[in-house]
Each structure stands twice: as structure tokens, then as C-alpha cells.
Amino acid sequence: MKITVIGTGYVGLVGGACLAEVGNDVLCVDVNAEKIRLLNAGSIPIYEPGLADMVAHNRAAGRLHFTTDIAGAVAFGGVLFIAVGTPPDEDGSADLQYVLEAARDIGRHMSDYKVVVDKSTVPVGTADKVNAAIAEVLRERGVKMDYSVVSNPEFLKEGAAVEDFMKPDRIIVGANDARAIDMMRQLYAPFQRNHERLILMDVRSAELTKYAANAMLATRISFMNELANLAEKLGADIELVRSGIGSDPRIGYHFLYSGCGYGGSCFPKDVQALIRTADEAGQKLKILTAVESANEAQKHVLPAKIVKRFGENLTGRRFALWGLAFKPNTDDMREAPSRVLIDELLARGASLCAYDPVAMPEALRIYDARISYAANPQAALEGADALAIVTEWKEFRSPDFAAIKASLSQPLIFDGRNLYDPAQLRASGIEYHPIGRM
């Protein structure tokens, strides 16, 4: 099948590569000429495990192509994925200007039947706007042409996106006509040979499903963070509580880890957008409003612990940071808790040395030379007054505590991800400040 993907960001590039991997002929188009130049030169603008190899393999096989030619891209595919950005507007709503411009481009250049697929995360009602945008341009052209608009939201976890696309838990398709449904079934058949994963529904329900899924996961995280803060005051251990409630099959263990808050490009944006969508519909989402508020407060818990221990004025203090990305296996620092910690420590006069396996170039872009960077975790510790852990990379899980103790000017760890056993660290002579643990 010939497929066009409009947008070569996170969703578009992963989706295009994975669709090519199963034998489709995929053309990815973007208005950013520099990004297309880099992709055609073999560079990948984002970090995602397995993606670079998959892109290189499918480019070499002649199944994956990159272009800035929107007219040629629209003509190329029978299925056109819109996978452009939907950044939050000032009021928290999703900005649809790029989605609607992609729709208008399709209307300007299409010459036969197309299935237009909204892959970007968009509010309920966006498919209607895409449909209207295409129809308006076709009227201006004075032509009549059949097309279908489908909602097919992505459920990709950063750091595991390739695996998620290749082995999906579910494939949500919101469509209203048989021809489009048949084409979507053909498209996704290679990804569900083991058993049926495609869930068919109306378009608006599909659009809401994406927001509802991310909002539910964000709710679980904020709930556990609130409980962790309470556990700390009551002298309870949130890890024991997590084990106790997670063993209930109605609850399960996923997304029950407490810490210094969630970040990234999805949860914060999607929670805000769903709240805004509800406001526009005349309904207040009280739980989600609390979830957002709780998460913003949680990002300040770790810096507050440091200030409580060292005082408001941190001039002359040096801190080591392990982790910059909002989660492991990505270089994404959007809305990352590390940014709140860095900003607060710098504002109080501290100096910082950070280590992250992949996100240091992104941090350098954001902070310039205001913080320094280490070649490895141990090097970040040299001469630091304390270590702050912000991202739960695997290489941080079982460090040499004796070496940590020897490198720090005082044996002190602030752990925003609860990686270690408090009793073990106390026995090692390390002062340990987790979140919600005894």
C-alpha cells in the first residue's frame, strides 16, 4: 500500500518507519527543509530506541522516502496520515493550525479518493474541522471528489514507541464509511496477526479515547504522588502501599510509582487540552483539574527538600544531577521535572553538574553554559554537596554506593524516583531523602 505521512516529528517518523517495515511504500513530507535534508542524509532528529536502524533499513530497501514536496506527497498515497504538531495554545487548548493547514494542502492537491487519517492527538470534533477544511478547498477548486476522514490516535510511549507500534495493545479506528474501514483494516492487518486488536468506533469516540487514556494514566501518577506526600507525614512507606494496592487485580501495578511528577509532550498537554475541551462544552472536570495542580506542585517537592536541608541561599553549593529527560529512553525534556529543579537551584545561587545518557545535548540547548555536564554518572559527583536523581535510567538503579560516598563532599542523596532501599543507604552511611519512604 502507498502511504503518505504529513509531518516527520515523533509520531510521523515512528509511524512512517513502522509502516514501511511491514512492506508498505511510505513517503514522509515536512515543510521543514532542514529536517528533511538531515533525514535524507541518514540523521534522526529524535532519540528513540530502534528507530535509527529501522529508518536506515527501510530507506536502503526503497520503502521509506522523505520530501518537502506536498503536492507530490498528496498524490503519492491512498492513505494520508496527518501527524503534525498540536502544541498547547495560551489557554491550554490544542493548537490545530498545522492540522488544518495539512487538511487544506490535501484539498489543494488531491485528484482521486483519499483516506485522510488524523494521527495527531487532537480534540473531539477535529475530524469535522478537517473534513470542512478539505471540502472548502475543493469547492474553491470547483471540483467534487470523494474522501474519508478517519481518527486513528496513537498510543506510543516515548522510549518504547517502535515496539508499541509494531506490537500494539489496541488499534483505535474511528470511521463512518465502509470503504475507509476496509482500507484501515488492510493497513493494520500485519500488526495483528496473533489476534484482533482493531477496535472500531465512531470518530468522536475515537478522538476522546486518546485524551481519556492519557488523562487516566496522569491521574494514577498524581494520586500516588499525593499519597507519597501523605505517607511521608504519617511515617508510612509508599512502596509498601504500592505493593499492597497493586496486588488488587482491579488496580494493578502500572503507573503507581510515586516521584517528582510527570512531564513530556503528552500528559501535561493532553490533560490541559481535555480540561479546555470540557470547559468549552460547559462541564468542569474537577478531578483532572486537581491532577494538573497536584503534578505542578509535585515538581517542586524535590527542590523543597534540598532547600529544607541546605537553606534558602545555595550560593557556593554544588549539586550533581542524575537524569534530565522527563523519563528514561528519550531525550525529551519538555515539561520535565528536572527543569523545575534546575531553575530553582540556579535561582538560589547553586552550581550544577548533570549527567544523562542521551538528553545532555537538549539540556545544553536550553541552558547553554549555565550548568555543566559530565561524561558519566560518577564524574558528575566530584566535589558536589549532594546528588539529586530526577530520571530513573537503568544505569542509576544499582550504583557503587561506596564510590558515591567517596566522591560527594558529604554523603547525601535526594531521590526523586525512589530507586533505592532507605535502610540499605542508611547502613552505608548515606543520608537519603526519597519521596514518601521511611
Side-chain angles (χ1 to χ4, degrees):
M1 188 178 292
K2 288 190 173 182
I3 300 164
T4 293
V5 179
I6 303 174
T8 57
Y10 186 84
V11 174
L13 188 54
V14 171
C18 291
L19 289 167
E21 180 73 7
V22 297
N24 295 295
D25 197 2
V26 180
L27 178 59
C28 297
V29 61
D30 203 293
V31 297
N32 188 327
E34 177 62 15
K35 184 184 288 187
I36 294 300
R37 184 190 70 78
L38 290 171
L39 287 166
N40 280 323
S43 296
I44 303 296
I46 59 174
Y47 177 81
E48 182 62 39
L51 180 61
D53 289 343
M54 183 176 284
V55 169
H57 166 70
N58 284 286
R59 285 186 69 241
R63 292 191 298 267
L64 181 61
H65 322 271
F66 301 102
T67 185
T68 57
D69 178 11
I70 186 65
V74 171
F76 179 85
V79 178
L80 308 177
F81 281 91
I82 298 178
V84 297
T86 54
D89 219 333
E90 290 183 3
D91 61 0
S93 62
D95 185 349
L96 297 179
Q97 62 173 310
Y98 305 113
V99 171
L100 296 180
E101 184 56 33
R104 286 188 284 269
D105 281 337
I106 292 169
R108 291 183 190 108
H109 301 296
M110 63 186 289
S111 58
D112 56 2
Y113 176 78
K114 305 290 183 183
V115 175
V116 180
V117 182
D118 284 338
K119 198 66 174 173
S120 303
T121 299
V122 293
V124 175
T126 299
D128 293 339
K129 294 179 180 179
V130 168
N131 192 14
I134 296 173
E136 181 181 3
V137 174
L138 290 177
R139 280 195 301 271
E140 291 171 355
R141 289 174 57 192
V143 298
K144 290 185 177 181
M145 212 170 297
D146 288 337
Y147 63 93
S148 301
V149 178
V150 172
S151 174
N152 174 220
E154 54 85 13
F155 295 94
L156 307 179
K157 300 185 295 291
E158 289 194 48
V162 170
E163 182 178 4
D164 286 347
F165 200 106
M166 298 301 295
K167 300 177 181 179
D169 296 317
R170 75 287 206 197
I171 301 164
I172 302 296
V173 172
N176 299 320
D177 69 88
R179 187 175 180 183
I181 292 169
D182 181 63
M183 290 184 70
M184 295 301 288
R185 288 194 182 279
Q186 291 180 48
L187 180 69
Y188 281 113
F191 301 96
Q192 49 179 344
R193 294 189 66 194
N194 180 265
H195 65 274
E196 178 75 20
R197 293 180 173 88
L198 194 147
I199 302 173
L200 182 64
M201 58 185 69
D202 64 275
V203 172
R204 287 186 168 238
S205 295
E207 291 172 332
L208 182 56
T209 296
K210 167 61 177 181
Y211 277 125
N214 279 353
M216 173 61 78
L217 297 175
T219 299
R220 287 171 69 96
I221 294 171
S222 281
F223 175 76
M224 289 304 293
N225 285 338
E226 293 258 86
L227 281 186
N229 297 337
L230 177 61
E232 203 164 282
K233 292 182 179 297
L234 298 178
D237 189 326
I238 193 62
E239 275 299 292
L240 299 178
V241 175
R242 182 184 68 83
S243 297
I245 65 175
S247 60
D248 185 332
R250 297 171 300 174
I251 299 172
Y253 291 101
H254 294 298
F255 284 82
L256 291 187
Y257 288 95
S258 58
C260 52
Y262 61 75
S265 63
C266 293
F267 287 6
K269 175 174 70 75
D270 293 353
V271 167
Q272 288 179 6
L274 187 52
I275 291 170
R276 180 63 179 172
T277 295
D279 286 344
E280 292 174 351
Q283 180 174 337
K284 294 292 183 183
L285 295 182
K286 298 176 183 178
I287 291 177
L288 276 192
T289 301
V291 166
E292 182 183 33
S293 176
N295 186 62
E296 287 307 304
Q298 197 68 20
K299 292 180 181 180
H300 295 274
V301 167
L302 202 59
K305 287 178 177 286
I306 293 173
V307 169
K308 182 179 179 180
R309 175 63 173 75
F310 286 101
E312 292 283 347
N313 186 355
L314 299 177
T315 302
R317 297 289 186 181
R318 180 179 175 86
F319 296 93
L321 267 62
W322 280 5
L324 293 164
F326 85 94
K327 62 179 286 189
N329 297 320
T330 181
D331 60 353
D332 194 345
M333 289 184 63
R334 285 173 289 184
E335 303 285 342
S338 65
R339 298 181 66 164
V340 174
L341 178 62
I342 291 169
D343 290 345
E344 292 206 18
L345 294 183
L346 289 178
R348 289 182 167 84
S351 63
L352 306 173
C353 185
Y355 170 77
D356 187 288
V358 301
M360 290 191 291
E362 178 65 7
L364 182 61
R365 184 189 67 81
I366 297 168
Y367 290 102
D368 297 319
R370 286 182 288 163
I371 63 177
S372 59
Y373 304 94
N376 55 67
Q378 193 65 33
L381 303 173
E382 296 298 329
D385 292 288
L387 165 64
I389 301 171
V390 196
T391 312
E392 62 276 29
W393 286 94
K394 288 181 180 179
E395 65 184 278
F396 301 157
R397 292 183 184 178
S398 185
D400 183 339
F401 291 115
I404 291 176
K405 188 176 178 181
S407 296
L408 293 171
S409 62
Q410 51 187 311
L412 180 54
I413 297 176
F414 295 90
D415 187 355
R417 297 301 175 187
N418 290 344
L419 295 184
Y420 310 131
D421 177 5
Q424 179 189 355
L425 266 67
R426 285 195 295 267
S428 301
I430 295 175
E431 183 181 339
Y432 183 53
H433 295 269
I435 297 176
R437 301 207 65 190
M438 294 188 298

